Amino acid sequence: MKLIASGLSLASFTAALFAFAPSALAQTTADQGTTETAPVREKTVTRYDISPLFMAGMAHGVGGGLQLNGSVFALRGSFGYMPVFAAIGEDSEGNAEDFKALHSYQANADLLLFFWAPSDHSRIGVSGGYRYNNVLGHGAAWGLEVEADVAKHMTLMLSLSTAYFPEGNERALDALGNPDKSVEFAFGSNFLSGASVGMRLPI
C-alpha cells in the first residue's frame, strides 16, 4: 500500500510539473515579446527650413545672409565686410614700419553637406563654395561646418575654412600702391584661412 501511495504521489507531482512548465514558458515568451527595444538615434539630422543668419570672422567677414536647408544639404549665401591687413616694411629690430587695412567687401556662396550628428540637436559637415572679394578678386573656398541648436528658432554656427584667390596677392599690392618695401599680409592674400562664428534663426 505504501508503494502504491508513493507511486500515486510521484505521478501527481510529475503531472503538476508538466502542467506548470508550459504555462511558465508561455509567460516567459510573452514577456520577451513585449520587451521594447531602445530606439537607435540617427547618425544624421535632416532640416527643412530657411534661415536668416549673421556671421563674423575671417572666413566670411562681418555680415549676414540666408541659409536654405533641404535634408542633409544646405545652400548658404552671405555678404560681409572683410578687411585685408598688411604690414609694410621692416625696421632694424624686425618690426613692421607701417600697418594698413584694405577695406574690402566679400560675397560668399556655399554648398554644405552635413554627414554626422553627434546629438539630436547638433550636426557636423563640410562646405565648398565661391568667393568674390572686391580687393582680392574671385576665389574658391572649402571648410568644416558645425551647428548646434540652442532654442527652437536659434542655431549657433562655427565655420572653419580656407579660401584661395589666384590673383589675390597682385591685386592687394596694387591696392596698396605697389610699395617698394616688403609687404606681409596678416591673414594671407592668395590663401585666406580663418574661422567665423554666427547664428541663424530658422523660420
Side-chain angles (χ1 to χ4, degrees):
M1 293 296 293
K2 291 182 178 180
L3 182 61
I4 294 173
S6 299
L8 290 175
S9 298
L10 180 59
S12 299
F13 175 77
T14 303
L17 178 62
F18 278 96
F20 171 78
S23 61
L25 180 61
Q27 182 63 37
T28 302
T29 304
D31 291 341
Q32 291 177 348
T34 57
T35 301
E36 294 184 0
T37 303
V40 178
R41 187 181 59 78
E42 294 292 336
K43 294 183 179 180
T44 59
V45 173
T46 59
R47 300 284 166 81
Y48 296 91
D49 58 52
I50 185 169
S51 310
L53 58 88
F54 306 93
M55 301 187 77
M58 293 308 300
H60 298 83
V62 179
L66 287 174
Q67 180 169 315
L68 176 63
N69 288 300
S71 185
V72 296
F73 293 95
L75 287 173
R76 178 191 295 162
S78 63
F79 181 81
Y81 172 64
M82 187 78 169
V84 178
F85 297 99
I88 303 173
E90 185 176 310
D91 61 21
S92 59
E93 297 181 355
N95 299 316
E97 295 178 355
D98 191 16
F99 288 96
K100 286 190 177 181
L102 299 174
H103 301 289
S104 65
Y105 297 89
Q106 185 168 295
N108 314 290
D110 295 285
L111 173 64
L112 292 75
L113 168 61
F114 292 96
F115 58 84
W116 184 49
S119 73
D120 293 334
H121 304 288
S122 62
R123 57 183 187 168
I124 296 174
V126 292
S127 64
Y130 167 78
R131 301 284 183 268
Y132 178 73
N133 186 295
N134 69 311
V135 170
L136 304 178
H138 301 278
W142 55 93
L144 178 70
E145 306 290 336
V146 180
E147 289 190 350
D149 300 332
V150 293
K152 183 177 181 181
H153 296 289
M154 184 181 297
T155 300
L156 296 182
M157 307 157 53
L158 170 65
S159 179
L160 304 171
S161 73
T162 296
Y164 172 59
F165 296 90
E167 300 177 354
N169 192 68
E170 292 78 4
R171 289 175 61 100
L173 290 174
D174 288 343
L176 289 171
N178 290 302
D180 55 2
K181 299 180 180 181
S182 63
V183 178
E184 290 188 8
F185 295 97
F187 296 95
S189 51
N190 286 110
F191 284 93
L192 289 179
S193 296
S196 286
V197 295
M199 176 177 60
R200 64 181 186 87
L201 309 171
I203 299 175

